[in-house]
Amino acid sequence: MPLPHGRSSPDAQDLGFDPAELRARYRAERDRRIRPEGNGQYERAAGRFGYYDEDPYTEAPSDRDPLCDRVEVVVVGGGFGGLLAGARLRRAGVESIRVIEKGGDFGGTWYWNRYPGIHCDIESYIYLPLLEEVGYVPKWKYAPGEEIRQHARAVGRVFGLYRDAVFQTQVTELRWNEAESEWLVSTDRGDRIRARYVVTASGTLSEAKLPGIPGIETFAGHTFHTSRWDYGYTGGSAEGNLHGLAGKRVALIGTGATAIQCVPHLAAGAAELYVFQRTPSSVDVRANRPTDPAWAASLTPGWQRRRRDNFLALVTGDRTEQDLVDDGWTSSARLHQKLIPSDSHREGHPELSAEENERAYELADFQKMNEIRARVDAVVTDPRTAEKLKPWYRYMCKRPTFSDSYLQTFNLPHVTLVDTADQHGVERITESGVVVGGTTYEVDCIIFGTGFRVGLSGITSGRLPVYGRDGVALTDTWREGPRTLHGFYSHGFPNLFQLGPLQNASSVNYVHILDEQATHVAEVVAAARARRARYVDPSAGAQAAWVATIREKAADLYAFQAECTPGYYNNEGRPRKRSESYGDGPVAFHALLRDWRANGGLSEVLVDAEGDDRP
């Protein structure tokens, strides 16, 4: 925000609000919600709760003989990361590609999440990958989940990835065979597949979590997690019409991005709906609309990349002449620096000191959140309910949400918002209901909209053991922290590529990030094949230099996140001391990779047939 002429710091009268009062309110609201156990408040959807992880969309896998064959590339995961890896490798000339996927089809998070109202919150024209290659233009500015899932399947068909794919199968171990220069890939179906290269793309939204509420297992009614929506119970489809809830009392626990979309449909179907909220989301205008046929017909080759790059530049602080996407993300781009640090964001107003820049940023943040809270007052008729729905925290403390129907739902007489902040969440669950503040809310069904263990893949959590050269476990080499080159590969684990945010770069449009990563992996594999390299393995020196770069450039967001209300952005109120993301941001990182590939960087990872004598 520009400062008043001749003044270094505007006061409350200039602003129309008191920053000191807002800071105090934010801290008080944060403290109401912090729990000492942090992420320990959640349960995995495994073990005694394993039934929450079962697949409701595909019949139980039929018996098949274990696979004991050889392919050139195994891709672990069939979401957009795995599909992009397969597509880019196919374009690079690799024919033998096997995608191994836990679900019954391609789609990843869009296979599992089919709850009513599900849409992407990133514009479809930049979120859905490979649109030009597939020959498709989405039907809506913000695509519904089923359209996205069908597009994932189309990518699989266009690039021939169904041919060797195996579904309803989970990789259980990766083990390097030095003598053969290949990986042995073991699965829960008894497969022992040999592969020259392995690409892991198992995602960071793949493991549902449940709240560790006492008595959760005693409830006698019906329960399920939103990522495994039970349409057999609710009736209807992702478009709504949940006729199976007629006459039923329903509880939804959680008010994040999923709740924002499914609450209106639950309210339309249920006789009574109780929404249990620890922290309200910030809810801005969505304004979804159908794709204009004339606009779609006017698109010229390269349109998606231009639009996607324009969005990334805007949300990372670059100055552009035109905003091609023009939505809630780009209009609030100034505030994204707390999620996506970059050189451009750090520049801020160059005429101001670092302290003045931070002050200007904070004031812009206050103003945006005041607008969000004012919208609640304008939409929700009951003042007490409206007050509970107001988010009292900085804009990027939680992922922003967008809806034109969520807030309106709380004006319905049969919808009750139950605020649990003073109890730090739901107190307990009984055979017949949910208890908060000593009051039992009798319900027939409890739906858990409690999200995922964000940022964890099978490799980083240790659930997918990886053994490299000399049988060394990857988790052992990472005891002092991750050690990679560019986030993709680790010394001593040849021909293993990891897609994900670790020591890489990120953005709110994560599919764009995955496409840049898949393109890089395909380029490296193509170079290894062309040069007949024995394998791809970063030198110890190159890896150490990259880890040092990550440490040097890491953005210090600890103070900001420590002030935030607890959530997955700040590790449930326990922000990590050290960032593992590239501090100059995704635009700079993607440029760095292109320069590295073009100017001799491949010598740091390609090992010839004589072995590895590099430092």
Side-chain angles (χ1 to χ4, degrees), residues 55-230:
D55 187 345
Y57 312 120
T58 304
E59 292 184 4
S62 57
D63 291 336
R64 64 169 175 81
D65 293 332
L67 298 170
C68 296
D69 57 359
R70 177 186 281 114
V71 295
E72 185 165 5
V73 181
V74 158
V75 177
V76 182
F80 277 139
L83 286 165
L84 281 161
R88 296 304 182 191
L89 284 164
R90 187 75 86 208
R91 280 285 176 92
V94 181
E95 287 300 317
S96 180
I97 302 171
R98 172 166 291 144
V99 180
I100 303 177
E101 164 58 36
K102 174 184 174 181
D105 203 341
F106 289 125
T109 191
W110 300 102
Y111 173 86
W112 296 110
N113 288 272
R114 306 191 196 185
Y115 54 81
I118 182 171
H119 282 66
C120 186
D121 64 359
I122 301 294
E123 186 191 69
S124 62
Y125 317 126
I126 62 171
Y127 179 80
L128 273 66
L130 303 166
L131 286 174
E132 291 184 76
E133 292 85 345
V134 172
Y136 184 69
V137 177
K139 297 177 182 178
W140 291 84
K141 184 173 176 68
Y142 301 98
E146 184 61 15
E147 184 178 18
I148 299 173
R149 189 175 74 86
Q150 293 301 332
H151 181 69
R153 299 182 69 206
V155 172
R157 290 192 298 270
V158 168
F159 289 92
L161 299 176
Y162 277 102
R163 186 175 65 217
D164 293 315
V166 288
F167 298 106
Q168 298 180 294
T169 302
Q170 222 168 343
V171 176
T172 55
E173 183 185 275
L174 301 173
R175 188 175 291 272
W176 175 251
N177 183 326
E178 182 71 18
E180 301 294 333
S181 293
E182 64 184 12
W183 286 94
L184 178 62
V185 181
S186 301
T187 78
D188 61 355
R189 304 289 296 276
D191 304 314
R192 292 175 65 81
I193 302 160
R194 291 170 292 171
R196 180 163 177 77
Y197 302 98
V198 171
V199 182
T200 65
S202 53
T204 61
L205 294 174
S206 56
E207 184 179 338
K209 64 184 182 184
L210 297 165
I213 302 171
I216 188 174
E217 72 283 355
T218 68
F219 182 63
H222 197 75
T223 65
F224 57 89
H225 192 278
T226 52
S227 67
R228 306 289 190 273
W229 196 272
D230 188 352

